Structure formats: structure tokens, C-alpha cells
Amino acid sequence: MGKLFGTDGVRGVANTELKPETAFKLGRIGGYVLTKEAGLPKILIAKDSRRSGDMLEAALTAGLCSIGAQVFYAGVLPTSGVAYLVKKYNLDAGVMISASHNKMADNGIKFFNNQGFKLPDALEDEIEALIEKTKIQGDKLPRPIGEDVGMVHQSPNATEDYAAFLLSTVQGLQLNGLKIVLDCANGATSYMATDIFKNLGAEVITIHNAPNGSNINENCGSTHMESLQARVKAEQADIGIAFDGDGDRMLAICEKGKFIDGDAILAICGLDMKERGKLNTIVATVMSNQGFEIFCRDNGITLYRTDVGDRYVLEKMLADDLPLGGEQSGHVIFREHSTTGDGILTALQLLSVMVRKNQSLSALAGVMETFPQVLVNATVSNKRKPELPYCPEIIAAQAEIETALAGEGRILVRASGTEPVVRVMLEGRDLAKIKGFAESLANVIEKSLES
């Protein structure tokens, strides 16, 4: 069986790779696995603004209703809204239909349990195994009839309830005098973000907040920040805030027009939390910049790195009871408030630091030096990738580069899980030098692992 679940739910091109038939099975079997202890399962569904969302929502709903589930529609809502509302409404599970920052043709399905957490690998494996079993032995799950068939209910207050929660995380915050430019990526934050920041007194200019089903993430949002950068400069705004399609990540532009990534946001918020006695450790991933590692060291903050993926960040946070973690891409988790990355919440927390310290975003971001980063792909067949960690030529080449960097840089070599390439990432203060090192190491990898 091919792996159905990836690092963030099930994802693919809608109607070919992610078909309505698959959505039906995920609703039926995923719903059963998640709610088998519930007598009358209640499940929340939300989606981003993609055209294919209606199609997948209908198929997913049919699958859920076929096992007797009561389905509650929340409409277009950020992913983090699902995580929050499942718990608030005392439901058994939640489902978000979104492909996050991916192009419009893609879509995805991700589940949340009754506590608002994404599913662990073991539960996803159980769902996949049962899907495979039904292919061989037939679908023997319950099929209620008559009045026991599931129904669909609307959740008309979902957006308002989620917005009220977001505002509750920054009680007393006043943004009067601040000019903010929002980029909603024509996605899930388009219908609510502007009002939240206006309610706090800010002057808000919003761009890319007119979803038409086809323009989500199209040259906008956290993966395409050029138009936001230009607008911040033109408006002489204090900050530009960019969300992605499903609103679970956020990046910023400072008043000088410079990019502020997830590492810098973690540094700003983490230092503020440490100064207030709320933090000693931050969880980030192997992709976080070497400059962030040095920032943590210099400020007495322990840094723990995980594999790439916010789910792994959260697992470490839960295991060690840690308050803050995130990714360079802008997924930031404030565990005091949320079980997942939340773009609007992150923006509010960042703004609260600006107000509390009465400093500009550029000044706050100055606590951390960002090292230049170079990424080069080495072409390697999938069959030879397992040899990567043990090849003596590669090990020797890495050791030579590490000696040359003398603690002022970092190497990360990762085999792609989906492509026949090995990714070589180098960081250091001298861009030309690390570019040469990266290309040299990629050549060694290709020659050493030739098919």
C-alpha cells in the first residue's frame, strides 16, 4: 500500500490524486477510528477557499454520515480554528480540508482529535490499515439506517467564537497608532483577520482578501511576499503580516521592508517570554538558522531541534511541557493558547511584544543575526539514498567543510522523501564561501552515489 498520510494529513491534486472516492473512505473509516468510543459521534468540518473544497467536503460528509456521525459545518475557517472549536464545542473530532500553502489545484484532508491535536503516526497508520483491509475483505463497518443515519448541521457562530478566542489571548492589547498591512493569501483568513486587528484599534490595510476559488496563494501570502513588501513601503506601515492559505502560519515584513521569518519571530517572542519568567527552552527544527542557535545560546535559552514538521515540534513540546516552538516557515505554536500553529494568534503575540516594549519590529528582530543559507540538490537514485550516512567519501568531505567553518556555520544533508535528490544546506557568514562548499559537497555526493 502506498503511504496515504504525509507529514500533514492527506494531500494531492484534487480530483486525480485526492479523489472524492478517497475523501468518502477517509470520512467513513477515519471517522470510525476516531470516534469508535462515541455513541453518536459529532465531527466538525471546515475548509479553505479552494474550489475543490466543496467537492471534497460533500464526499467526506457522505462518508461520515454513513457511519452515523453528526457533521457540523464551520465553513471557510483557518485550520487552527478547527483545532480550537473541536474542544470548545465538545466534539469528537475535527477535519480541515486544505492544502495549506500549496497551489490552488491541490487540496488536502487533515484530522484532529477531540482535544484539538493532529493525529499521531500510530492513529494514521490504523486508518490506513483499515482502508487497505476493506479493499481486500470488503467494508464491514457499521451502516446505520433510518433515523440513525448521520445528519449535517450548520455552525453559524464558528467564526465569531474563534475570533473571540484569538482576542482573549491578548486581553488589554491596544494597537492604536499602528498601521498594519495584512496579506490574507486569498485564503481562510480573508473573512476574519481584518476585523480582529481593527477591533484592537489598528489602522489596517488588507490585500489579497478576495477569494474566488482559484486565486488562493497565487503570488501572495507567506510564500510570495513581494507585493506585501511593496505595500508596506508605500504605506509607510509599521508591519506587514502574511498568512498562508489555511492561516496556520505567518511571516512578517518590518517597517524597513525586510523579511521577518519564523526564526526571528521565535527569537522575539521567546526572549520576551524569558524576560517575563515564562520560558527557558524553545523547540525548533533542523532547518532553523544557525544564527537562531547562537541567539539562544547567548541569551541562556536551551534550543531543541526536531525533524522538519510542526507535528514533531509539538510532540517535543508536549513531551517536555515546553511553551514555545515552531518552524522557520512561520508555523509557531504558543502552547499556552493553542494545540497547533496559528497565523493570526502569532501575529497578535508579536504585536503585543512590539507594544509592550515600545519598539519597532526591525529593532526587535535585531536580537538575532541571520546567517546566509544556500541549498543545493544532488541527484541520487532512491535505491542508493540509504547509503548516504555511511559513505566514507561523503563523511570525509563533510568533516573537511565543518573544520573550515570553525563553528561559524552549519551543514545539513537530507535525502528527499519524494524526489531522487539529496538536499545539501549550508549556513555561514560568508555567502560566496558556503555556496562553494555546498556545490562541492553536492558533487561529492553525486559521484559517490552514482547509479
Side-chain angles (χ1 to χ4, degrees):
M1 177 180 66
K3 181 72 174 169
L4 186 61
F5 286 90
T7 56
D8 197 19
V10 179
R11 196 174 292 186
V13 177
N15 214 25
T16 56
E17 296 173 342
L18 180 54
K19 299 177 182 178
E21 295 90 335
T22 305
F24 176 82
K25 289 179 182 177
L26 283 167
R28 183 164 168 74
I29 295 173
Y32 171 77
V33 169
L34 280 171
T35 65
K36 52 191 173 187
E37 304 299 327
L40 186 66
K42 302 183 291 295
I43 299 176
L44 184 79
I45 295 181
K47 58 191 175 184
D48 68 20
S49 57
R50 292 163 212 270
R51 180 173 297 186
S52 58
D54 291 348
M55 173 186 72
L56 294 174
E57 181 181 59
L60 188 69
T61 299
L64 289 166
C65 288
S66 76
I67 61 167
Q70 301 298 306
V71 176
F72 294 82
Y73 279 168
V76 175
L77 196 72
T79 292
S80 39
V82 175
Y84 169 73
L85 293 173
V86 162
K87 193 171 181 181
K88 175 178 174 60
Y89 293 165
N90 195 29
L91 304 179
D92 298 294
V95 189
M96 180 67 185
I97 301 170
S98 173
S100 189
H101 60 282
N102 284 27
K103 58 185 182 296
M104 168 269 197
D106 292 349
N107 216 326
I109 294 172
K110 46 189 159 187
F111 290 92
F112 292 86
N113 67 14
N114 62 356
Q115 295 300 304
F117 291 106
K118 293 178 182 178
L119 305 190
D121 291 342
L123 206 50
E124 290 182 346
D125 290 344
E126 184 180 348
I127 294 170
E128 287 207 27
L130 190 50
I131 289 174
E132 188 67 11
K133 184 177 180 180
T134 61
K135 291 179 183 177
I136 301 169
Q137 300 180 6
D139 184 347
K140 299 179 182 179
L141 298 186
R143 286 191 177 273
I145 61 173
E147 293 184 354
D148 293 326
V149 173
M151 294 179 63
V152 176
H153 311 268
Q154 301 299 323
S155 296
N157 298 321
T159 299
E160 290 77 8
D161 288 343
Y162 175 51
F165 153 71
L166 291 169
L167 290 169
S168 75
T169 69
V170 286
Q171 289 183 357
L173 177 64
Q174 292 294 317
L175 300 179
N176 303 76
L178 287 179
K179 182 185 284 191
I180 299 172
V181 182
L182 297 180
D183 181 346
C184 293
N186 292 315
T189 60
S190 296
Y191 303 116
M192 63 180 300
T194 303
D195 287 344
I196 287 175
F197 295 95
K198 280 186 175 180
N199 286 342
L200 292 171
E203 179 183 350
V204 181
I205 298 125
T206 309
I207 61 176
H208 306 303
N209 65 326
N212 60 17
S214 300
N215 59 0
I216 187 170
N217 298 319
E218 185 178 23
N219 298 318
C220 60
S222 61
T223 54
H224 301 280
M225 296 176 64
E226 297 79 13
S227 61
L228 176 63
Q229 182 184 41
R231 193 64 180 269
V232 168
K233 290 179 179 178
E235 298 284 351
Q236 296 184 318
D238 296 287
I239 184 174
I241 295 168
F243 305 113
D244 65 339
D246 71 333
D248 67 349
R249 70 169 73 179
M250 168 256 165
L251 297 175
I253 300 290
C254 77
E255 80 285 357
K256 295 181 178 179
K258 295 181 179 179
F259 293 92
I260 307 295
D261 67 6
D263 286 344
I265 294 167
L266 285 170
I268 293 167
C269 294
L271 183 60
D272 176 70
M273 291 172 71
K274 180 176 174 57
E275 290 169 348
R276 293 185 291 129
K278 291 191 170 187
L279 177 146
N280 292 305
T281 301
I282 298 176
V283 183
T285 76
V286 292
M287 293 303 293
S288 278
N289 195 273
Q290 178 80 358
F292 180 62
E293 186 167 311
I294 292 172
F295 156 80
C296 288
R297 183 194 67 199
D298 290 348
N299 287 278
I301 297 172
T302 300
L303 172 64
Y304 189 93
R305 291 184 185 268
T306 72
D307 289 336
V308 175
D310 61 326
R311 64 189 297 173
Y312 302 114
V313 171
L314 180 60
E315 283 176 7
K316 180 62 178 177
M317 293 173 69
L318 292 173
D320 290 6
D321 192 24
L322 301 173
L324 181 66
E327 296 188 281
Q328 194 179 58
S329 61
H331 284 115
V332 178
I333 304 171
F334 293 87
R335 235 193 90 223
E336 177 183 357
H337 304 299
S338 183
T339 59
T340 187
D342 187 321
I344 298 177
L345 189 151
T346 299
L348 291 171
Q349 299 301 314
L350 181 61
L351 285 162
S352 71
V353 178
M354 291 174 61
V355 171
R356 185 161 44 245
K357 293 191 172 184
N358 192 27
Q359 292 185 34
S360 67
L361 184 54
S362 64
L364 290 171
V367 299
M368 184 190 114
E369 176 188 5
T370 300
F371 283 24
Q373 192 176 80
V374 173
L375 182 65
V376 178
N377 288 334
T379 302
V380 176
S381 67
N382 289 329
K383 68 179 181 180
R384 299 213 61 183
K385 283 181 188 176
E387 302 173 44
L388 180 66
Y390 313 105
C391 178
E393 293 85 0
I394 297 171
I395 293 171
Q398 284 188 243
E400 186 177 338
I401 294 171
E402 285 170 352
T403 299
L405 289 172
E408 293 295 322
R410 188 168 66 99
I411 306 170
L412 179 65
V413 178
R414 297 173 57 241
S416 169
T418 57
E419 300 175 79
V421 298
V422 170
R423 306 195 194 283
V424 178
M425 187 275 287
L426 259 87
E427 291 173 342
R429 286 195 164 95
D430 188 326
L431 179 59
K433 183 182 289 187
I434 63 169
K435 186 174 185 293
F437 285 152
E439 291 171 349
S440 172
L441 182 54
N443 287 334
V444 171
I445 292 171
E446 287 185 347
K447 289 177 181 178
S448 301
L449 299 179
E450 268 186 318
S451 298

Coordinates of all heavy atoms in Angstrom, one line a residue, residues 300-373:
G300 N 20.9 32.5 27.0 CA 20.6 31.5 28.1 C 19.3 30.7 27.8 O 18.7 30.2 28.8
I301 N 19.0 30.5 26.5 CA 17.8 29.7 26.2 C 18.3 28.4 25.6 O 19.1 28.4 24.7 CB 16.9 30.5 25.2 CG1 16.4 31.8 25.8 CG2 15.8 29.6 24.7 CD1 15.7 32.7 24.8
T302 N 17.7 27.3 26.1 CA 18.1 26.0 25.5 C 17.3 25.8 24.2 O 16.1 26.1 24.2 CB 17.7 24.9 26.5 OG1 18.4 25.0 27.7 CG2 18.0 23.5 25.9
L303 N 18.0 25.4 23.2 CA 17.3 25.1 21.9 C 17.3 23.6 21.6 O 18.3 22.9 21.7 CB 18.1 25.8 20.7 CG 17.6 25.4 19.3 CD1 16.2 25.9 19.1 CD2 18.5 26.0 18.3
Y304 N 16.1 23.1 21.3 CA 16.0 21.7 21.0 C 15.5 21.6 19.5 O 14.5 22.2 19.2 CB 15.0 21.0 21.9 CG 15.0 19.5 21.6 CD1 15.8 18.6 22.4 CD2 14.2 18.9 20.6 CE1 15.9 17.3 22.2 CE2 14.3 17.5 20.4 CZ 15.1 16.7 21.2 OH 15.1 15.4 21.0
R305 N 16.2 20.9 18.7 CA 15.9 20.8 17.3 C 15.2 19.4 17.0 O 15.6 18.4 17.5 CB 17.1 20.9 16.4 CG 17.8 22.2 16.3 CD 18.9 22.2 15.3 NE 19.7 23.4 15.2 CZ 19.4 24.4 14.4 NH1 18.4 24.3 13.5 NH2 20.2 25.5 14.4
T306 N 14.1 19.5 16.2 CA 13.4 18.2 15.8 C 13.5 18.1 14.3 O 14.0 18.9 13.6 CB 11.9 18.3 16.2 OG1 11.2 19.2 15.3 CG2 11.7 18.7 17.6
D307 N 12.9 17.0 13.8 CA 12.8 16.8 12.3 C 11.9 17.9 11.8 O 11.1 18.5 12.5 CB 12.2 15.4 12.0 CG 13.2 14.3 12.3 OD1 14.4 14.6 12.3 OD2 12.8 13.2 12.5
V308 N 11.9 18.1 10.5 CA 11.0 19.1 9.8 C 9.6 18.7 10.0 O 9.2 17.5 9.7 CB 11.4 19.3 8.4 CG1 10.5 20.2 7.7 CG2 12.8 19.8 8.2
G309 N 8.7 19.6 10.4 CA 7.3 19.4 10.5 C 6.8 19.8 11.9 O 7.4 19.5 12.9
D310 N 5.7 20.7 11.9 CA 5.2 21.2 13.1 C 4.7 20.1 14.1 O 4.7 20.3 15.3 CB 4.2 22.3 12.9 CG 2.9 21.8 12.1 OD1 3.1 20.9 11.3 OD2 1.9 22.3 12.4
R311 N 4.3 19.0 13.5 CA 3.8 17.9 14.4 C 5.0 17.4 15.3 O 4.7 17.0 16.4 CB 3.3 16.8 13.5 CG 4.3 16.1 12.6 CD 3.6 15.1 11.7 NE 3.0 14.0 12.4 CZ 2.2 13.1 11.8 NH1 2.0 13.2 10.5 NH2 1.7 12.1 12.5
Y312 N 6.2 17.4 14.7 CA 7.3 16.9 15.5 C 7.7 17.9 16.6 O 8.2 17.6 17.7 CB 8.5 16.5 14.6 CG 8.1 15.5 13.6 CD1 8.1 15.7 12.3 CD2 7.7 14.2 14.0 CE1 7.7 14.8 11.3 CE2 7.3 13.2 13.1 CZ 7.3 13.5 11.8 OH 6.9 12.6 10.9
V313 N 7.6 19.2 16.2 CA 7.8 20.3 17.2 C 6.9 20.1 18.3 O 7.3 20.2 19.5 CB 7.7 21.6 16.5 CG1 7.7 22.8 17.5 CG2 8.8 21.9 15.4
L314 N 5.6 19.9 18.0 CA 4.6 19.8 19.1 C 4.8 18.6 19.9 O 4.6 18.6 21.2 CB 3.2 19.8 18.5 CG 2.0 19.7 19.5 CD1 2.0 20.9 20.4 CD2 0.7 19.6 18.8
E315 N 5.2 17.5 19.3 CA 5.4 16.3 20.1 C 6.5 16.5 21.2 O 6.3 16.1 22.3 CB 5.9 15.1 19.2 CG 4.8 14.5 18.4 CD 5.3 13.4 17.4 OE1 6.5 13.1 17.5 OE2 4.5 12.9 16.6
K316 N 7.6 17.2 20.8 CA 8.6 17.5 21.8 C 8.1 18.5 22.9 O 8.4 18.4 24.1 CB 9.8 18.1 21.1 CG 11.0 18.5 22.0 CD 11.5 17.3 22.8 CE 12.7 17.6 23.7 NZ 13.2 16.5 24.4
M317 N 7.3 19.5 22.4 CA 6.7 20.4 23.4 C 5.9 19.8 24.4 O 5.9 20.1 25.6 CB 5.9 21.5 22.6 CG 6.8 22.4 21.8 SD 5.8 23.5 20.7 CE 5.1 24.6 22.0
L318 N 5.1 18.8 24.0 CA 4.2 18.1 24.9 C 5.0 17.2 25.8 O 4.7 17.1 27.0 CB 3.2 17.3 24.1 CG 2.1 18.1 23.3 CD1 1.3 17.2 22.4 CD2 1.2 18.9 24.2
A319 N 6.0 16.5 25.2 CA 6.7 15.5 26.0 C 7.5 16.2 27.1 O 7.6 15.6 28.2 CB 7.7 14.8 25.1
D320 N 8.0 17.4 26.9 CA 8.8 18.1 27.9 C 8.1 19.3 28.5 O 8.7 20.1 29.3 CB 10.1 18.6 27.3 CG 11.1 17.4 26.9 OD1 10.7 16.3 27.1 OD2 12.2 17.7 26.5
D321 N 6.8 19.4 28.2 CA 6.0 20.5 28.8 C 6.6 21.9 28.5 O 6.9 22.7 29.4 CB 5.8 20.3 30.3 CG 4.7 21.3 30.9 OD1 3.9 21.7 30.1 OD2 4.8 21.5 32.1
L322 N 6.8 22.2 27.2 CA 7.5 23.4 26.8 C 6.5 24.4 26.2 O 5.6 24.0 25.5 CB 8.6 23.1 25.8 CG 9.7 22.1 26.4 CD1 10.7 21.7 25.3 CD2 10.4 22.8 27.6
P323 N 6.7 25.7 26.4 CA 5.7 26.6 26.0 C 5.7 27.2 24.5 O 4.7 27.7 24.0 CB 5.9 27.8 26.9 CG 7.4 27.8 27.2 CD 7.8 26.3 27.2
L324 N 6.9 27.1 23.9 CA 7.0 27.7 22.6 C 7.9 26.9 21.6 O 8.9 26.3 22.0 CB 7.7 29.1 22.7 CG 7.9 29.9 21.5 CD1 6.6 30.4 20.9 CD2 8.8 31.2 21.8
G325 N 7.4 26.8 20.4 CA 8.1 26.1 19.3 C 7.6 26.5 18.0 O 6.6 27.1 17.8
G326 N 8.4 26.1 17.0 CA 7.9 26.5 15.6 C 9.0 26.2 14.6 O 10.0 25.6 14.8
E327 N 8.6 26.7 13.4 CA 9.4 26.4 12.2 C 9.8 27.8 11.5 O 9.1 28.8 11.6 CB 8.7 25.6 11.2 CG 8.4 24.2 11.6 CD 7.8 23.3 10.5 OE1 6.6 23.5 10.2 OE2 8.5 22.5 10.0
Q328 N 10.9 27.7 10.8 CA 11.4 28.9 10.0 C 10.3 29.4 9.1 O 10.2 30.5 8.7 CB 12.6 28.5 9.2 CG 13.4 29.6 8.7 CD 14.7 29.0 8.0 OE1 14.6 28.2 7.0 NE2 15.8 29.5 8.4
S329 N 9.4 28.4 8.6 CA 8.4 28.8 7.6 C 7.2 29.6 8.2 O 6.4 30.0 7.5 CB 7.8 27.5 7.0 OG 7.3 26.7 8.0
G330 N 7.2 29.7 9.5 CA 6.2 30.6 10.1 C 5.1 29.8 10.9 O 4.2 30.4 11.5
H331 N 5.2 28.5 11.0 CA 4.4 27.7 11.9 C 4.9 28.0 13.3 O 6.0 27.5 13.7 CB 4.4 26.2 11.7 CG 3.7 25.8 10.5 ND1 4.3 25.3 9.3 CD2 2.3 25.8 10.2 CE1 3.3 25.0 8.5 NE2 2.2 25.3 8.9
V332 N 4.2 28.7 14.2 CA 4.6 28.9 15.5 C 3.5 28.5 16.5 O 2.3 28.8 16.3 CB 4.9 30.4 15.8 CG1 5.3 30.7 17.2 CG2 6.0 30.9 14.8
I333 N 3.9 27.7 17.5 CA 3.0 27.2 18.5 C 3.2 27.8 19.8 O 4.2 27.6 20.4 CB 3.1 25.6 18.6 CG1 2.9 25.0 17.2 CG2 2.0 25.1 19.5 CD1 3.2 23.5 17.1
F334 N 2.2 28.5 20.3 CA 2.2 29.0 21.7 C 1.3 28.1 22.5 O 0.0 28.2 22.4 CB 1.6 30.4 21.7 CG 2.4 31.5 21.0 CD1 2.3 31.7 19.7 CD2 3.4 32.2 21.7 CE1 3.1 32.6 19.0 CE2 4.2 33.2 21.1 CZ 4.1 33.4 19.7
R335 N 1.9 27.2 23.2 CA 1.1 26.1 23.8 C 0.2 26.6 24.9 O -0.8 25.9 25.2 CB 2.1 25.0 24.4 CG 1.8 23.7 23.9 CD 2.5 22.6 24.6 NE 1.7 22.1 25.7 CZ 2.1 21.8 26.9 NH1 3.4 22.0 27.2 NH2 1.3 21.4 27.9
E336 N 0.4 27.7 25.5 CA -0.5 28.3 26.5 C -1.9 28.5 25.8 O -2.9 28.4 26.5 CB 0.1 29.6 27.0 CG -0.8 30.3 28.0 CD -0.3 31.7 28.4 OE1 0.8 32.0 28.0 OE2 -1.0 32.3 29.2
H337 N -1.9 28.8 24.5 CA -3.1 29.1 23.9 C -3.6 28.1 22.8 O -4.8 28.1 22.6 CB -2.9 30.5 23.2 CG -2.5 31.6 24.0 ND1 -3.2 32.0 25.1 CD2 -1.3 32.3 24.0 CE1 -2.5 33.0 25.7 NE2 -1.4 33.2 25.1
S338 N -2.7 27.4 22.2 CA -3.2 26.6 21.1 C -2.5 25.2 21.0 O -1.4 25.0 21.5 CB -2.9 27.4 19.8 OG -3.4 26.7 18.6
T339 N -3.1 24.3 20.2 CA -2.5 23.0 20.0 C -1.9 22.9 18.7 O -1.4 21.8 18.3 CB -3.6 21.9 20.1 OG1 -4.6 22.2 19.1 CG2 -4.3 21.9 21.5
T340 N -1.8 24.0 17.9 CA -1.3 23.9 16.6 C -0.8 25.3 16.2 O -1.0 26.3 16.9 CB -2.3 23.4 15.6 OG1 -1.7 23.2 14.3 CG2 -3.5 24.4 15.4
G341 N -0.1 25.4 15.0 CA 0.3 26.7 14.5 C -0.9 27.5 14.2 O -1.9 27.0 13.7
D342 N -0.8 28.8 14.5 CA -1.9 29.7 14.2 C -1.4 31.1 13.8 O -0.8 31.8 14.6 CB -2.7 29.9 15.6 CG -4.0 30.6 15.4 OD1 -4.0 31.6 14.6 OD2 -5.0 30.2 16.0
G343 N -1.7 31.4 12.5 CA -1.1 32.7 12.0 C -1.6 33.9 12.7 O -0.8 34.8 13.0
I344 N -2.9 34.0 12.9 CA -3.4 35.2 13.5 C -3.0 35.3 14.9 O -2.6 36.4 15.4 CB -5.0 35.3 13.4 CG1 -5.4 35.3 12.0 CG2 -5.5 36.5 14.1 CD1 -6.9 35.2 11.8
L345 N -3.0 34.2 15.7 CA -2.5 34.3 17.0 C -1.1 34.7 17.1 O -0.7 35.5 18.0 CB -2.7 32.9 17.7 CG -2.5 32.8 19.2 CD1 -3.4 31.7 19.8 CD2 -1.1 32.5 19.5
T346 N -0.3 34.1 16.2 CA 1.2 34.5 16.2 C 1.3 36.0 16.0 O 2.2 36.7 16.6 CB 1.9 33.7 15.2 OG1 1.8 32.3 15.5 CG2 3.4 34.1 15.1
A347 N 0.6 36.5 15.0 CA 0.7 38.0 14.7 C 0.3 38.8 15.9 O 0.9 39.8 16.3 CB -0.2 38.3 13.5
L348 N -0.7 38.4 16.6 CA -1.2 39.1 17.8 C -0.1 39.1 18.9 O 0.2 40.1 19.6 CB -2.5 38.5 18.4 CG -3.7 38.8 17.5 CD1 -4.9 38.0 18.0 CD2 -4.1 40.2 17.5
Q349 N 0.5 37.9 19.1 CA 1.6 37.8 20.1 C 2.8 38.7 19.8 O 3.4 39.3 20.6 CB 2.0 36.3 20.3 CG 0.9 35.4 20.7 CD 0.3 35.8 22.0 OE1 1.0 36.1 23.0 NE2 -1.1 35.8 22.1
L350 N 3.1 38.7 18.5 CA 4.2 39.5 18.0 C 3.9 41.0 18.2 O 4.8 41.8 18.7 CB 4.5 39.2 16.5 CG 5.7 40.0 15.9 CD1 7.0 39.7 16.6 CD2 5.8 39.7 14.4
L351 N 2.8 41.4 17.9 CA 2.4 42.8 18.1 C 2.3 43.2 19.5 O 2.7 44.3 19.9 CB 1.0 43.0 17.4 CG 1.0 43.1 15.9 CD1 -0.4 42.9 15.4 CD2 1.5 44.5 15.4
S352 N 1.9 42.2 20.4 CA 1.9 42.5 21.8 C 3.3 42.8 22.4 O 3.5 43.6 23.3 CB 1.2 41.4 22.6 OG 2.0 40.2 22.6
V353 N 4.3 42.1 21.8 CA 5.7 42.4 22.2 C 6.1 43.8 21.7 O 6.8 44.6 22.5 CB 6.7 41.3 21.7 CG1 8.1 41.7 22.1 CG2 6.3 39.9 22.2
M354 N 5.8 44.1 20.5 CA 6.1 45.5 20.0 C 5.5 46.6 20.9 O 6.2 47.5 21.2 CB 5.5 45.6 18.6 CG 6.3 44.8 17.5 SD 5.5 44.9 15.9 CE 5.6 46.6 15.5
V355 N 4.2 46.4 21.3 CA 3.6 47.4 22.1 C 4.1 47.4 23.5 O 4.4 48.4 24.1 CB 2.0 47.1 22.2 CG1 1.4 48.0 23.2 CG2 1.4 47.3 20.8
R356 N 4.4 46.2 24.1 CA 4.9 46.1 25.5 C 6.2 46.7 25.6 O 6.6 47.4 26.6 CB 4.9 44.6 25.9 CG 5.3 44.4 27.4 CD 4.8 43.1 27.9 NE 5.1 42.0 27.0 CZ 4.2 41.2 26.4 NH1 2.9 41.5 26.6 NH2 4.5 40.3 25.6
K357 N 7.1 46.5 24.6 CA 8.5 47.0 24.7 C 8.6 48.4 24.0 O 9.6 49.0 24.0 CB 9.4 46.1 24.0 CG 9.5 44.8 24.8 CD 10.7 43.9 24.3 CE 10.9 42.7 25.2 NZ 12.1 41.9 24.8
N358 N 7.5 48.8 23.3 CA 7.5 50.1 22.6 C 8.7 50.2 21.6 O 9.4 51.2 21.6 CB 7.5 51.3 23.6 CG 7.2 52.6 22.9 OD1 6.6 52.6 21.9 ND2 7.8 53.7 23.4
Q359 N 8.9 49.1 20.9 CA 10.0 49.1 19.9 C 9.4 48.7 18.5 O 8.4 48.0 18.4 CB 11.0 48.0 20.3 CG 11.8 48.4 21.6 CD 12.9 47.4 21.8 OE1 13.5 46.9 20.9 NE2 13.2 47.2 23.1
S360 N 10.1 49.1 17.5 CA 9.7 48.7 16.1 C 10.1 47.3 15.9 O 10.9 46.7 16.6 CB 10.5 49.6 15.1 OG 11.9 49.3 15.2
L361 N 9.5 46.7 14.9 CA 9.8 45.3 14.5 C 11.2 45.1 14.1 O 11.9 44.1 14.5 CB 8.8 44.8 13.4 CG 9.0 43.3 13.1 CD1 8.8 42.4 14.3 CD2 7.9 43.0 12.0
S362 N 11.8 46.1 13.4 CA 13.2 45.9 13.0 C 14.1 45.9 14.2 O 15.1 45.2 14.2 CB 13.6 47.1 12.0 OG 13.5 48.3 12.6
A363 N 13.8 46.8 15.2 CA 14.7 46.8 16.4 C 14.6 45.5 17.1 O 15.6 45.0 17.6 CB 14.2 48.0 17.3
L364 N 13.4 45.0 17.3 CA 13.2 43.7 18.0 C 13.9 42.6 17.2 O 14.5 41.7 17.9 CB 11.7 43.4 18.1 CG 10.9 44.3 19.1 CD1 9.4 43.9 18.9 CD2 11.4 44.0 20.5
A365 N 13.8 42.6 15.9 CA 14.5 41.5 15.1 C 16.0 41.6 15.2 O 16.7 40.6 14.9 CB 14.0 41.6 13.7
G366 N 16.5 42.7 15.6 CA 18.0 42.9 15.7 C 18.6 42.0 16.8 O 19.9 42.0 16.8
V367 N 17.8 41.3 17.6 CA 18.4 40.5 18.6 C 19.1 39.3 18.0 O 19.8 38.6 18.7 CB 17.4 40.0 19.7 CG1 16.8 41.2 20.4 CG2 16.3 39.2 19.0
M368 N 18.8 39.0 16.7 CA 19.3 37.8 16.1 C 19.9 38.1 14.8 O 19.4 38.8 14.0 CB 18.1 36.8 15.9 CG 18.5 35.4 15.3 SD 17.1 34.5 14.8 CE 17.4 34.4 13.1
E369 N 21.1 37.5 14.5 CA 21.8 37.6 13.2 C 21.4 36.4 12.4 O 21.5 35.3 12.9 CB 23.3 37.7 13.4 CG 24.0 37.7 12.1 CD 25.5 37.5 12.3 OE1 26.0 37.3 13.4 OE2 26.3 37.6 11.2
T370 N 20.9 36.7 11.2 CA 20.5 35.6 10.3 C 21.7 35.3 9.4 O 22.1 36.1 8.6 CB 19.3 35.9 9.5 OG1 18.2 36.1 10.4 CG2 18.9 34.7 8.6
F371 N 22.2 34.1 9.4 CA 23.3 33.7 8.5 C 22.8 33.4 7.1 O 21.7 32.9 7.0 CB 24.0 32.4 9.1 CG 24.9 32.6 10.2 CD1 24.7 33.7 11.1 CD2 25.9 31.7 10.5 CE1 25.5 33.8 12.2 CE2 26.7 31.8 11.6 CZ 26.6 32.9 12.4
P372 N 23.5 33.8 6.1 CA 23.2 33.4 4.7 C 23.0 31.8 4.7 O 23.8 31.1 5.3 CB 24.3 33.9 3.9 CG 24.9 35.0 4.7 CD 24.8 34.6 6.1
Q373 N 22.1 31.4 3.8 CA 21.8 30.0 3.7 C 21.8 29.6 2.2 O 21.2 30.3 1.4 CB 20.4 29.7 4.3 CG 20.1 28.2 4.5 CD 18.8 28.1 5.3 OE1 17.7 28.1 4.7 NE2 18.9 27.8 6.6

